[in-house]
Amino acid sequence: QWLILLICLVAFALPLLSVLADGIGLHALPVLTRPSFWTATITSLVIGIASAVLCIVFALLLAMARATTASHLARIGLGAPAYAYLAVPAVVLALGFFLAVRNLGIRADAAAPYVVVIANALLSLPFAVATLGPPLEAIARGQGRLVRALGLSGWQQFTLVELPLLGRDLGVALALAFCFSLGDLGVISLFGTQDFTTLPLLMYRALGTYRTNDTAVIAALMLILSPAVVMLLPRLFEKLS
């Protein structure tokens, strides 16, 4: 078992170490001094934060509704909007948004930021609901009678009872949604322009022109940023709660 685990660990870590080895060094300076790189970085961070927050709002609404209903059909109906996106490829969802925007007569470049944020939030929704659903149901079972006895409103119930008990789970869901949005290429591939570019799209364009050094630098940045967010956000929310 240890031998199998060691082989799997090496196979998992070797590509990541290769990215770091090629992406960190003096050859990274030309990439780091380009305005296009920092524009794409800021765009990726803004989109990642916005889509993560929107995803958490959707996930909390669905998970809280499922936790407070005893109807089996209602639980299935409330879970369908979340888990349906597990079976939807990102490119298909992006094409659906693209066709909808075009049929509505809206310019694709004007709708691009909003569409990318919404699409990334929907694609992250199954993971956020799966993370927040079990603790919210446990809270409903353990604290439901007390909440009803105190006559707390929905907002009071969330801020006084559920939010302090979610803590780390909320940070995990937010971090996963952010990282999912940060690395997504499916949606931005249809809506990206020269003025609206994210890090994955910038990396894809660099790879298409055989600029492997640029690709490695961008990949290394995302590889460093994603684990840092996953490790820090849950701890931060745990302390704040």
Side-chain angles (χ1 to χ4, degrees), residues 86-97:
L86 283 174
V88 178
V91 175
V92 174
L93 182 63
L95 180 60
F97 272 112

Side-chain angles (χ1 to χ4, degrees), residues 106-114:
I106 304 173
R107 289 170 42 211
D109 56 343
Y114 307 100

Side-chain angles (χ1 to χ4, degrees), residues 209-239:
T209 55
Y210 302 101
R211 289 182 284 125
T212 55
N213 285 341
D214 294 10
T215 304
V217 172
I218 299 169
L221 173 64
M222 290 193 293
L223 181 58
I224 293 171
L225 184 59
S226 295
V229 170
V230 171
M231 288 187 295
L232 294 177
L233 267 184
R235 295 182 181 180
L236 176 62
F237 274 79
E238 190 175 18
K239 290 183 178 180

Side-chain angles (χ1 to χ4, degrees), residues 64-199:
M64 290 170 66
R66 290 189 70 193
T68 54
T69 182
S71 172
H72 182 65
L73 290 177
R75 290 175 61 85
I76 294 176
L78 289 169
Y83 295 109
Y85 290 102
L86 283 174
V88 178
V91 175
V92 174
L93 182 63
L95 180 60
F97 272 112
F98 182 82
L99 295 176
V101 166
R102 189 182 67 176
N103 292 334
L104 290 173
I106 304 173
R107 289 170 42 211
D109 56 343
Y114 307 100
V115 169
V116 173
V117 168
I118 295 172
N120 286 343
L122 293 178
L123 291 171
S124 306
L125 190 57
F127 307 100
V129 171
T131 302
L132 298 175
L136 281 171
E137 291 185 5
I139 293 171
R141 289 193 302 268
Q143 313 291 336
R145 290 184 179 179
L146 177 60
V147 169
R148 289 191 294 271
L150 294 175
L152 298 178
S153 64
W155 178 250
Q156 290 174 327
Q157 175 183 338
F158 176 70
T159 56
L160 298 178
V161 179
E162 292 168 336
L163 184 59
L165 294 176
L166 284 176
R168 184 178 181 85
D169 295 308
L170 191 60
V172 169
L174 194 63
L176 289 175
F178 173 82
C179 293
F180 197 101
S181 177
L182 181 70
D184 178 68
L185 181 61
V187 182
I188 191 65
S189 62
L190 289 181
F191 287 90
T193 62
Q194 291 296 328
D195 298 325
F196 182 61
T197 304
T198 60
L199 286 174

